[in-house]
Amino acid sequence: SAVISQKPSRDICQRGTSLTIQCQVDSQVTMMFWYRQQPGQSLTLIATANQGSEATYESGFVIDKFPISRPNLTFSTLTVSNMSPEDSSIYLCSVGGLYEQYFGPGTRLTVT
Amino acid sequence: GQQVMQIPQYQHVQEGEDFTTYCNSSTTLSNIQWYKQRPGGHPVFLIQLVKSGEVKKQKRLTFQFGEAKKNSSLHITATQTTDVGTYFCKGSTLGRLYFGRGTQLTVWP
C-alpha cells in the first residue's frame, strides 16, 4: 500500500490567481495521477505524471491551465492557474493505476 | 469514447436491507475494481476482479465479474449505517482507466 499526503487540505482563492497543490508519497512510484472531483460526482482524470517526462493530459485539460511538476519518484505538484469559480472542486492525487489505486486525502478548492 | 456506466446513481435503504450497484462496459475489461468513498473522504480500494465469472466476498459484500468481462456488481447484504458512502467501479482496458460515476448509498437507521 501507499500513504499519500496532500497540501493544502483546503483553500479559498480569488479568481485570476493560481494555487499549487503538493502531493507526497511514502514510497517511490513511477506514475502519479491527478484527478478532479466535483461534489457528488465521479473522478475525472486530469493528467498522468511520470518522473522525468512531460505529463500526459486528458481531453479537456491543458498544460497552461494545469501545469504539473514531477521532480522525483515521491513528489508531484499540480497548479491550477488563472482560477475561475468553475475550478472549485476537490483535487486528488493518486498512485497505482491499472491495478489497485491509492488516493491522497484531497485538496478542497473554492474559488470566489 | 468508451466508458463504464454505473447504476443506480443514488440508493436509499433502511438498515438491514440489501443493496446492489452495477457497472457495465461496452467493451471487454481487463479487470475491474471497486472503491468506497465515505462522505468527506477519499476513495479507498475494496477489491479487484480479473477473471471471467469471478466472485469474491468480503464479509457482507459480494463482488461479481461477468462472464464476458463487460459488467460487474457489488452487493451488500443487510446494510448497516457504516456502509454509507459512494461506491465506484473502475475498469481498465487497453491501458486506459475508466471510473463509473458512482452509486451514493444512504442507510436509514
Side-chain angles (χ1 to χ4, degrees):
Chain A
S1 65
V3 177
I4 305 171
S5 59
Q6 281 185 237
K7 291 182 184 178
S9 59
R10 59 178 62 226
D11 207 340
I12 301 173
C13 302
Q14 292 192 339
R15 68 176 66 205
T17 63
S18 297
L19 176 72
T20 295
I21 302 168
Q22 299 178 7
C23 178
Q24 180 76 52
V25 187
D26 69 341
S27 58
Q28 293 185 341
V29 294
T30 304
M31 298 170 71
M32 294 180 75
F33 304 87
W34 286 97
Y35 287 87
R36 184 169 72 182
Q37 186 177 33
Q38 305 280 2
Q41 300 297 314
S42 187
L43 298 147
T44 301
L45 181 63
I46 298 171
T48 302
N50 290 334
Q51 195 269 336
S53 63
E54 293 286 331
T56 302
Y57 290 82
E58 295 297 303
S59 176
F61 298 96
V62 295
I63 188 171
D64 290 345
K65 175 69 175 176
F66 298 100
I68 288 172
S69 77
R70 183 78 204 276
N72 57 54
L73 291 172
T74 63
F75 186 79
S76 178
T77 67
L78 169 75
T79 299
V80 186
S81 304
N82 188 24
M83 288 183 286
S84 66
E86 292 71 35
D87 295 320
S88 297
S89 189
I90 299 171
Y91 292 85
L92 299 121
C93 68
S94 174
V95 302
L98 289 178
Y99 303 104
E100 188 171 341
Q101 236 177 306
Y102 301 95
F103 290 85
T107 296
R108 186 179 295 270
L109 171 62
T110 303
V111 183
T112 59
Chain B
Q2 195 272 352
Q3 59 183 349
V4 173
M5 307 300 294
Q6 187 173 357
I7 56 170
Q9 186 174 356
Y10 304 97
Q11 188 78 56
H12 310 282
V13 300
Q14 193 157 19
E15 191 172 22
E17 293 181 338
D18 292 355
F19 159 78
T20 305
T21 174
Y22 301 90
C23 278
N24 297 291
S25 169
S26 57
T27 60
T28 302
L29 301 170
S30 302
N31 62 68
I32 195 156
Q33 298 158 27
W34 287 92
Y35 294 78
K36 177 182 179 181
Q37 185 174 23
R38 294 182 183 273
H42 59 277
V44 174
F45 174 82
L46 293 176
I47 208 161
Q48 174 173 278
L49 303 171
V50 179
K51 300 176 183 177
S52 169
E54 190 169 13
V55 178
K56 287 188 177 180
K57 294 193 175 188
Q58 289 180 350
K59 297 183 180 178
R60 294 178 294 104
L61 278 61
T62 301
F63 305 85
Q64 294 189 351
F65 201 10
E67 293 290 340
K69 300 181 71 173
K70 290 184 177 182
N71 54 70
S72 181
S73 65
L74 158 59
H75 179 82
I76 302 178
T77 303
T79 55
Q80 300 175 358
T81 54
T82 54
D83 295 325
V84 165
T86 301
Y87 293 84
F88 293 97
C89 63
K90 187 193 88 176
S92 68
T93 179
L94 301 176
R96 301 278 299 178
L97 309 175
Y98 301 95
F99 273 95
R101 67 180 303 169
T103 297
Q104 191 172 320
L105 173 63
T106 305
V107 181
W108 298 327

